[in-house]
Amino acid sequence: MGIIKTPTAGMSRQEWLKLRKTGIGGSDAGAVCGVNPYASPIHVYLDKTQEEARERDNEPMRQGRDLEDYVARRFAEATGLKVRRSRYLYRDSEYPFMLADVDRLIVGHDAGLECKTASPYQEDAWKDGAIPPHYRIQCLHYMAVTGKKEWYLAVVILGKGFQYRKLVWDDDLIRKLRIVEEAFWTRYVLPRKMPEPDGSMAFGEALGQHYPKAVSGSSIRLEGFDKRLERREVLLKEIKELEQEQRKIEQELKVYLKDRESAKSSRYQVTWMNVETARLDAVRLKEEQPEIYQQYVKVNHSRRLTVKVA
């Protein structure tokens, strides 16, 4: 196995983003495998095929970057291992679509380190030695590209504490990962063919971003969808019936609780607690203080899909 190393020291953010477009990175691997709850294969496809080098970013991702050094220091303190930056982007010469821009390497060991931060609400995902699946895939991807036999995963759960895990080389999983990534790259990215819808919220979000606005007055003949739209009607009816059944059970619970706040069985705990919510009366504000309303109103642009029987 050969590794191609591209120096990243002194490389601009824009240059780095363009380089990332030439392959699948560790943070892409979980989405490609369908196990990332925050991204779908279509996100990776659009990222690799769009000309503009843009970066998906949000506050948790920003905090993760800013706290990377801190997580690495906590790992070194907890383990006694020394870590260093690599300052290279790695490419597998046999599978050149597989890239790795790693957080840290372990000095004197055939190992690397991935640094994470997590919300306190994600604490259960790390309980009893568990590893979120998309992070496990990310570490396996890094091992596959760099050839290193071990990878550590360190996480600071904000306000809760620090944990780390150790993963070791797994021939079978890495072989399967290479197959999945190669299929994605050759089936979708190279021929510029969009992945098939998977029903995930992430896929819907990506479609909305990719096709943000309809051309006014434009139309196309609908062909090949009648059977699926009939199935959609059946599903909507079933969903309505299931939701009504759910509400009935919840109403029965409320009748049982009456004015009590909670109840507990050997298996379940139920609460019906007092909640106070303050909401802005936008209609009244618009009528009585239209100038103030206009100063603070925010218009969101989106597209709504409707289906009617012709």
Side-chain angles (χ1 to χ4, degrees), residues 81-209:
L81 296 171
K82 186 177 179 181
V83 302
R84 66 172 178 85
R85 295 181 182 273
S86 74
R87 303 195 184 281
Y88 287 96
L89 183 136
Y90 301 87
R91 186 187 300 272
D92 188 324
S93 61
E94 187 176 352
Y95 302 90
F97 52 85
M98 295 182 73
L99 308 176
D101 186 14
V102 306
D103 287 344
R104 299 291 187 279
L105 297 174
I106 311 296
V107 178
H109 293 262
D110 193 22
L113 169 67
E114 175 64 19
C115 301
K116 298 293 183 186
T117 56
S119 159
Y121 301 108
Q122 298 170 325
E123 186 178 16
D124 285 350
W126 299 89
K127 188 175 289 185
D128 300 325
I131 301 174
H134 56 304
Y135 292 158
R136 183 184 295 275
I137 292 294
Q138 184 174 4
C139 292
L140 287 169
H141 174 97
Y142 289 150
M143 284 189 276
V145 176
T146 64
K148 295 192 176 299
K149 301 304 180 185
E150 299 175 345
W151 214 269
Y152 290 89
L153 176 63
V155 58
V156 167
I157 302 174
L158 299 174
K160 292 287 186 176
F162 170 82
Q163 301 180 36
Y164 72 91
R165 309 279 187 267
K166 180 180 179 180
L167 295 92
V168 297
W169 183 280
D170 186 311
D171 280 323
D172 186 52
L173 287 178
I174 287 176
R175 178 184 61 81
K176 290 176 180 176
L177 179 61
R178 284 171 172 157
I179 291 172
V180 170
E181 292 192 21
E182 183 173 29
F184 177 83
W185 193 257
T186 57
R187 187 180 302 166
Y188 302 118
V189 179
L190 292 183
R192 297 297 195 265
K193 178 186 175 185
M194 185 177 288
E196 297 81 6
D198 57 17
S200 68
M201 297 291 287
F203 197 102
E205 175 192 327
L207 283 177
Q209 293 170 353

